Every structure is written in structure tokens, then in C-alpha cells.
Amino acid sequence: QTAVTQEPSFSVSPGGTVTLTCGLSSGSVSTSHSPSWYQQTPGQAPRTLIYGTDIRYSGVPDRFSGSVLGNKAALTITGAQADDESDYLCVLYMGSGIWMFGGGTKLTVL
Amino acid sequence: EVQLVESGGGLVQPGGSLRLSCVASGFTLSSFEMNWVRQAPGKGLEWISYISSVDDSEHYADSVKGRFTISRDSAKNSLNLQMNSLRPEDTAVYYCARVEFGHSLGQPYWYLDLWGRGTLVSVSS
């Protein structure tokens, strides 16, 4: 059964740049999957960051950007800040009402 | 204010049933595709169910198919999830999430633009 893959954890230094990826265990992620990215802190509902591969949600700082790199979707944080330390979730739309969620990446800023 | 508020969670024994509700404010829920998503303790989010805004067609994850039923109540502007034959592995915070659809530069997109705060379901004897 196909699964959405994300790095379980990642570290970045304050002010640094990090790219989190989102792939499929079988096949490639493309823009047709309409990749979206969410930030989630413990006990809170997810907050939308990026949708439609690379569209920044209203109010999201421009240090967050989305893309497709090779066969994966990617979320890049440029100039990471301490309050970017969080879980990041990738979601793919498979069509016909079917959605797939990645397991999330826990980002540490240190 | 545009928001979603879930309710109906609680403690239930294995094999029991619960009915979750998600009430919408500030918009007409029946105009949107909607999803239920859950998060088990210490785990990532899992999509479990979807309902169409066009024909109320439904889709389910394999983990809940045949046990859970999604529905709408237009009079109450709410989304429901009937959960039967509950198992300990169904223990999770359950969220409802609204689907936003649009186009950008000719490319369609879908994403989950509005989430509730969740309701906790615990299945244990």
C-alpha cells in the first residue's frame, strides 16, 4: 500500500535554510497531487502554510516556500527562526475525494 | 467568525459506538467538501473520511471502512461521524476539516483550509 513519506526529524540552525520533503513510497509526487503543507504544534489544530504546491497561505511569512524537487514535494524555510520549531505535515490529494497524509517532520531549531 | 467546532468525543468501551458532530459557523457547510481526520496519541495525522459537496458521495480509509459513516445535517449546519464497532486503535483526537478548491495559473488545487480544534475519543475497557 502506497504511503506518503517525510523525514521523521530535521534540525536547522537559527538563520539557516532547511528543505523538508514529501514523497510517495511508490511513484512520484507531482503538482497534480496539489501538495499542501501544514504546521502543527502539540495540542493545536494544523495551520496551513502552503497549498497547490507553491502558493503561500494568507499571512504566512515569505521565508516559507513550496516546490516540487525531482519526484517529491518540498517545503523550504529560509532564515529559520526559533518559533519555526514545530511539526510539519505534508498532505496530497489523490483525486476523487481521497487524501493521503505524511507522518510529519519534527523540526528542531538549534 | 468562520470556524468549525467538534463535539461528541468521550470514553467508550471496545465494540461501542459514538457519534461525533462538527458544527460550522460563518459559512454553509453543505457548500463544501469535508473531511474527518484523526491523530492518535504521539502519532501523525490520518485521513479517515470524506463527503462530497456535489452528491454527498463518501470515501473512507481502509482502517474505518464498514464501521464509520460520514453524513451532513443541513438544518444544523453540521458534519457528523457515526463510529461503530470501536477498537482501542481508534483512540485519537478527531478533527473535521474543510476543503478549499480553486485554480491558480490554470492548475486546480485542493487543500484543507479550515480545521476544528478536535474532540478526543478514547476506546478502552
Side-chain angles (χ1 to χ4, degrees):
Chain A
Q1 190 157 345
T2 301
V4 177
T5 61
Q6 294 185 248
E7 299 87 358
S9 62
F10 228 116
S11 291
V12 63
S13 300
T17 296
V18 62
T19 297
L20 311 181
T21 68
C22 171
L24 286 170
S25 58
S26 177
S28 299
V29 175
S30 72
T31 57
S32 66
H33 292 114
S34 191
S36 52
W37 292 89
Y38 305 82
Q39 182 187 55
Q40 188 181 26
T41 52
Q44 300 295 317
R47 167 199 177 201
T48 307
L49 296 174
I50 300 288
Y51 63 95
T53 304
D54 59 4
I55 305 170
R56 202 174 299 113
Y57 192 70
S58 176
V60 173
D62 60 7
R63 65 178 182 275
F64 292 91
S65 62
S67 63
V68 169
L69 295 177
N71 62 352
K72 295 183 178 182
L75 173 71
T76 299
I77 307 173
T78 304
Q81 299 182 1
D83 61 3
D84 294 335
E85 185 162 295
S86 189
D87 293 330
Y88 291 86
L89 171 71
C90 169
V91 176
L92 303 178
Y93 182 60
M94 310 308 286
S96 301
I98 306 298
W99 296 76
M100 294 186 69
F101 284 42
T105 297
K106 183 177 183 63
L107 181 68
T108 301
V109 180
L110 53 73
Chain B
E1 180 185 2
V2 175
Q3 64 176 356
L4 295 166
V5 179
E6 303 94 337
S7 63
L11 176 63
V12 62
Q13 293 189 337
S17 297
L18 272 180
R19 185 176 179 86
L20 305 185
S21 179
C22 165
V23 176
S25 301
F27 69 99
T28 301
L29 190 143
S30 60
S31 298
F32 290 84
E33 301 173 28
M34 296 293 298
N35 289 284
W36 284 99
V37 177
R38 69 184 180 184
Q39 187 167 32
K43 303 290 187 180
L45 286 156
E46 177 191 15
W47 170 77
I48 57 171
S49 187
Y50 158 94
I51 187 165
S52 167
S53 60
V54 174
D55 58 6
D56 278 354
S57 59
E58 306 157 24
H59 294 285
Y60 300 92
D62 288 344
S63 57
V64 306
K65 198 174 295 183
R67 300 188 298 123
F68 290 11
T69 303
I70 191 172
S71 64
R72 301 178 192 269
D73 185 334
S74 296
K76 295 181 179 179
N77 204 29
S78 69
L79 178 74
N80 301 309
L81 187 69
Q82 178 66 42
M83 305 187 296
N84 299 330
S85 303
L86 283 162
R87 306 166 180 168
E89 56 264 36
D90 295 318
T91 295
V93 175
Y94 285 72
Y95 298 95
C96 57
R98 186 177 77 174
V99 178
E100 183 62 40
F101 167 77
H103 289 85
S104 177
L105 301 177
Q107 177 93 11
Y109 60 75
W110 297 260
Y111 71 105
L112 305 177
D113 78 319
L114 181 66
W115 299 68
R117 299 194 63 154
T119 186
L120 176 62
V121 172
S122 297
V123 183
S124 174
S125 54

